[in-house]
Amino acid sequence: MPLGPTVRRRRLGVELRRLREAHSLKLEEVAEKLGLASSTLSRIETGKAPTKSAYLTAMLAMYEVEDPGARKVMVDMAREGHRKGWWSIYDDVLPSGFDIYVGLEAEASGLRSYESDVVHGLLQTTDYALTVLRELRPRDSAEQVERVVDLRMQRQRLLDQDPPLDAWIILDEGAIRRKIGGSAIMRRQLEHLVQASRWPNVTLQVLSFESGAHAGLIGPFAILEFPERTDSDVAYTESLGGMIYLEKDREVRACAEAFDRMRAAALSPAASVDLIQQVARELT
C-alpha cells in the first residue's frame, strides 16, 4: 500500500527536527529566519502541516544538507505531503484537526482503543452513528450530519481491506448499556458488535462495572501503530477543548501501559460477547 500524505509529512517532520537539533538550533531561531511563527514550524516538524518548497529549501541550506540523494528524498516527501487524502472530500464537515487522525488511521496497521460512553466509530451501525452525531452536532443540517456518518462508514473499510487494520477495542459496560436511538437501533448495534467480534482482526472486550476503578477513568483514548518501525506510535484523545495527539515515547508508553492494565481487568472476549448478548436480550 503506497504511503499517504499524513505519514509522509510525519517522516519529513521527524527528519527536519533531527537535523535542526543536530545543528543545536532552537525552533524559535529557525522559525525567525524563515519568517514563520514558531507554532507553524512546530506543526511542520510534527507532521500536522505540509511545508512549502521555499521553506524546505531554506531549511536544507540551514542544516547543510548537500547530498543530492538526501535532498531529493525530502523534496519528494514534501511534495507527497501536499497530496489530498480520500477524506479531503469531507473537509467541509470534518472537525478542525480531525483530518490528521483520519489520515493516521488510514495508514495504521494496528489500533488499540478504549471507549467509555459510546461504541467505537469503526464498529458503529449507520443508524447508531446517525443518532450519536445528531446529538453531538446540533447546529449541523441533516445533510451535513449524513455526510459525517458517510465518512464514518468509509473509515470502516479499514477493517476489511487487505491487509486489514488489526483492532483491539475495549468498551466500558456503559457503552453497551446506554440505549442510543431506542431499543431496535441499539439491539442491531449490539448484534453488529457480536458479529464484529468474530472477525479475525478484531478483538473486543467489555470493561464491566464490577471491575471498579480502572486505568481508563481519565477518559477514552486510542493508540495507532504503523507498519514501519521508523514510524512511531501515536496516542490520541479528545475533549470539548479539542483533539490531543501524544507522540513522545513516554506519553505513548503511559497510554500503552494503561491499555494493558485495562485489558487485563476487562472481561475475556468470550465473556464480553456473552454480556453483549445478554444486554441485547434485555432490551424491550
Side-chain angles (χ1 to χ4, degrees), residues 20 55 66 77 82 87 99-100 102 107 127 155 159 163 189 226-227 242 265:
R20 174 176 61 76
Y55 296 144
E66 298 175 357
M77 280 196 289
H82 278 277
W87 54 91
D99 59 317
I100 297 169
V102 177
E107 296 164 48
D127 288 339
R155 287 170 51 208
L159 295 173
Q189 175 61 72
F226 302 91

Side-chain angles (χ1 to χ4, degrees), residues 208-229:
S208 71
F209 291 149
E210 291 184 1
S211 65
H214 58 80
L217 290 176
I218 196 168
F221 65 93
I223 304 169
L224 294 165
E225 305 154 357
F226 302 91
E228 296 294 328
R229 288 188 176 183

Side-chain angles (χ1 to χ4, degrees), residues 16-176:
L16 289 174
R17 180 176 179 177
R18 185 192 68 77
L19 287 167
R20 174 176 61 76
E21 292 177 344
H23 283 73
S24 301
L25 291 168
K26 293 182 179 179
L27 185 138
E28 293 78 12
E29 293 178 76
V30 175
E32 185 178 354
K33 289 180 179 178
L34 293 173
L36 288 173
S38 297
S39 59
T40 301
L41 182 56
S42 176
R43 285 177 58 79
I44 290 171
E45 288 192 351
T46 55
K48 294 179 176 64
T51 180
K52 294 181 179 178
S53 57
Y55 296 144
L56 178 61
T57 300
M59 282 187 277
L60 293 179
M62 213 180 301
Y63 304 151
E64 300 175 339
V65 180
E66 298 175 357
D67 177 74
R71 291 177 68 93
K72 183 178 185 304
V73 167
M74 284 189 274
V75 167
D76 287 346
M77 280 196 289
R79 184 170 58 248
E80 291 295 311
H82 278 277
R83 282 197 301 111
K84 296 285 188 181
W86 62 262
W87 54 91
S88 64
I89 62 172
Y90 298 98
D91 279 349
D92 59 316
V93 292
L94 272 171
S96 178
F98 193 62
D99 59 317
I100 297 169
Y101 178 83
V102 177
L104 292 172
E105 182 187 68
E107 296 164 48
S109 56
L111 166 72
R112 287 171 284 172
S113 182
Y114 165 66
E115 287 288 350
S116 59
D117 297 306
V118 294
V119 170
H120 191 280
L122 293 184
L123 297 180
Q124 291 180 5
T125 63
T126 302
D127 288 339
Y128 181 98
L130 194 57
T131 306
V132 169
L133 289 164
R134 278 175 180 155
E135 188 63 34
L136 293 178
R137 302 176 66 122
R139 296 183 180 180
D140 284 6
S141 66
E143 182 184 357
Q144 287 175 315
V145 172
E146 286 170 6
R147 279 176 51 72
V148 182
V149 172
D150 188 50
L151 166 64
R152 188 159 293 185
M153 297 303 113
Q154 293 297 319
R155 287 170 51 208
Q156 293 184 4
R157 293 186 303 175
L158 295 168
L159 295 173
D160 59 14
Q161 66 183 8
D162 185 21
L165 177 69
D166 186 49
W168 193 310
I169 295 172
I170 299 175
L171 300 176
D172 188 86
E173 186 173 342
I176 65 168

Side-chain angles (χ1 to χ4, degrees), residues 177-222:
R177 288 196 178 275
R178 186 181 300 280
K179 193 190 293 186
I180 288 178
S183 296
I185 287 176
M186 194 64 200
R187 188 179 298 109
R188 284 195 295 272
Q189 175 61 72
L190 295 176
E191 289 168 353
H192 180 64
L193 287 178
V194 172
Q195 181 183 9
S197 72
R198 301 188 182 115
W199 300 341
N201 57 307
V202 173
T203 302
L204 181 63
Q205 288 183 276
V206 174
L207 196 59
S208 71
F209 291 149
E210 291 184 1
S211 65
H214 58 80
L217 290 176
I218 196 168
F221 65 93

